[in-house]
Amino acid sequence: MDFGLVLQTDPPASQVISLMRRAERNGFRYGWTFDSAVLWQEPFVIYSQILEHTRKLHVGPMVTNPGTRTWEVTASTFATLNDMFGNRTVCGIGRGDSAMRVAGRAPNTLARLGEAIEVIRDLAEGREAVVDGNPIRIPWIRDGKLPVWMAAYGPKALALAGQKADGFILQLADPYLTEWMVKSVRQAAVEAGRDPAAITICVAAPAYVGTDLAHARDQCRWFGGMVGNHVADLVSRYGEHSSMVPDELTEYIKARQGYDYSHHGRTGNPSADFVPDEIVDRFCLLGPPEAHIEKLRALRDLGVDQFALYDMHDAKEATIDAYGQQIIPALNG
């Protein structure tokens, strides 16, 4: 199983780079960041420094979207990083939640996202693609490689990931929901004539190592609020108790009152007050190392290829070190 570290690009950028270097020393193979231009610093600038100061770490956004930047700009940016540092980038992409809404725009449609996945990948790998009706190719790219991994929750998005993406990003670590969603993605791949085993499965969630569960839950409760924001979109689209979306995913948002993006992804987010302890425990990895190892083994048995650790809490360095010293060796030893 691969491991990734997920951070927000809060200033100073030097701290983000330092944590990514620490992660690589501890056996992490991927370094991810949020991508929301208003809320955080520009990640692609920081990626160049992460790549410069690491040897093998692969970097990318979790996740970018088709609306913040034009597709040829996104492709050229990835291709430039790859040309400078070797093919060490991956494009995590979704419809766009915080990045679009904070700027007053609606998230992209799935149709636009599906088109963007193919165009960005083709352009970044040196092939011709059609952008706004115009066929273009980036002429200087040689031997470019850009895997595109799609974040999804709902049935139509899961199907699109199976049809077009190189990887699937699931932002929660509940084994029941993981099993349901991975099956949906792989079935869509089969129906599209693709090899389902070729799609990389990445589960992303907060992890907090320690015995004080009450404190760990409070540090990670924000994640249930972030996921709830996506689930609310699903409920508005499919309705409550829809056969298309498991009740286990939708029931907990009934007490949700709204969402303030100024606290997005942050400990103490008041928009996450509705999230019960049970959901925090199901969606996150909490407790002593043995508890993390047990849950990660269960996820691996469901076909998960990578666990990407959200490290937005008060024990960033300690969590990275605990994974490197005790948890990653237990999974990969």
Side-chain angles (χ1 to χ4, degrees):
M1 178 181 266
D2 282 333
F3 287 82
L5 182 71
V6 189
L7 299 173
Q8 294 168 334
T9 51
D10 289 316
S14 59
Q15 176 69 5
V16 177
I17 297 161
S18 176
L19 288 169
M20 291 297 186
R21 294 180 68 188
R22 191 186 198 106
E24 184 179 56
R25 291 196 301 269
N26 276 282
F28 289 75
R29 292 193 60 233
Y30 286 78
W32 303 92
T33 74
F34 283 30
D35 178 17
S36 192
V38 175
L39 297 177
W40 300 288
Q41 293 185 329
E42 172 56 36
F44 286 96
V45 176
I46 298 172
Y47 295 157
S48 67
Q49 291 298 302
I50 295 172
L51 291 165
E52 172 68 25
H53 289 90
T54 56
R55 293 177 57 249
K56 297 181 179 179
L57 200 72
H58 288 66
V59 305
M62 189 174 280
V63 293
T64 193
N65 70 86
T68 301
R69 306 171 187 85
T70 60
W71 301 350
E72 70 274 17
V73 169
T74 298
S76 181
T77 304
F78 277 112
T80 300
L81 292 171
N82 284 337
D83 187 65
M84 293 171 68
F85 300 104
N87 290 324
R88 291 168 55 197
T89 66
V90 56
C91 177
I93 195 167
R95 293 176 59 227
D97 180 42
S98 63
M100 297 297 287
R101 296 184 200 271
V102 168
R105 307 184 187 102
N108 296 270
T109 65
L110 286 176
R112 179 173 170 83
L113 175 57
E115 184 182 359
I117 287 172
E118 295 182 324
V119 168
I120 290 169
R121 180 170 51 213
D122 282 345
L123 290 177
E125 294 185 348
R127 295 184 295 276
E128 182 179 283
V130 177
V131 179
D132 294 331
N134 299 307
I136 59 174
R137 186 178 71 84
I138 303 175
W140 50 264
I141 295 176
R142 299 289 184 272
D143 302 318
K145 184 66 176 175
L146 182 66
V148 181
W149 298 6
M150 179 182 156
Y153 290 108
K156 292 181 180 179
L158 294 169
L160 180 62
Q163 292 159 5
K164 296 193 175 184
D166 300 299
F168 164 49
I169 297 171
L170 172 57
Q171 292 167 308
L172 54 82
D174 176 70
Y176 174 85
L177 293 169
T178 298
E179 182 176 19
W180 177 77
M181 293 185 183
V182 169
K183 284 182 177 178
S184 297
V185 169
R186 287 182 169 161
Q187 182 60 37
V190 170
E191 292 172 358
R194 305 180 69 203
D195 178 5
I199 300 174
T200 302
I201 307 296
C202 175
V203 160
Y208 198 105
V209 182
T211 57
D212 187 344
L213 283 178
H215 180 73
R217 287 169 180 145
D218 286 342
Q219 288 291 303
C220 299
R221 199 174 306 276
W222 62 266
F223 184 67
M226 186 181 84
V227 173
N229 199 50
H230 297 287
V231 174
D233 282 347
L234 295 179
V235 171
S236 67
R237 188 172 299 117
Y238 297 105
E240 290 186 27
H241 307 297
S242 166
S243 61
M244 302 287 284
V245 183
D247 288 346
E248 287 83 356
L249 185 61
T250 60
E251 280 294 310
Y252 84 97
I253 69 162
K254 288 182 176 179
R256 180 180 181 271
Q257 299 297 316
Y259 195 81
D260 181 355
Y261 279 95
S262 65
H263 304 284
H264 189 57
R266 299 189 185 280
T267 297
N269 184 346
S271 299
D273 289 348
F274 71 95
V275 180
D277 288 350
E278 177 192 3
I279 289 295
V280 182
D281 292 346
R282 289 182 63 172
F283 285 10
C284 304
L285 279 78
L286 312 174
E290 296 76 19
H292 293 247
I293 293 166
E294 181 182 5
K295 193 166 189 178
L296 287 166
R297 283 176 173 159
L299 292 169
R300 184 180 62 185
D301 289 344
L302 295 172
V304 174
D305 299 297
Q306 179 183 154
F307 174 61
L309 187 163
Y310 280 102
D311 205 22
M312 280 74 82
H313 48 57
D314 65 0
K316 294 181 178 67
E317 291 88 353
T319 299
I320 294 170
D321 293 346
Y323 263 71
Q325 293 164 13
Q326 300 177 70
I327 297 168
I328 294 176
L331 268 295
N332 295 336

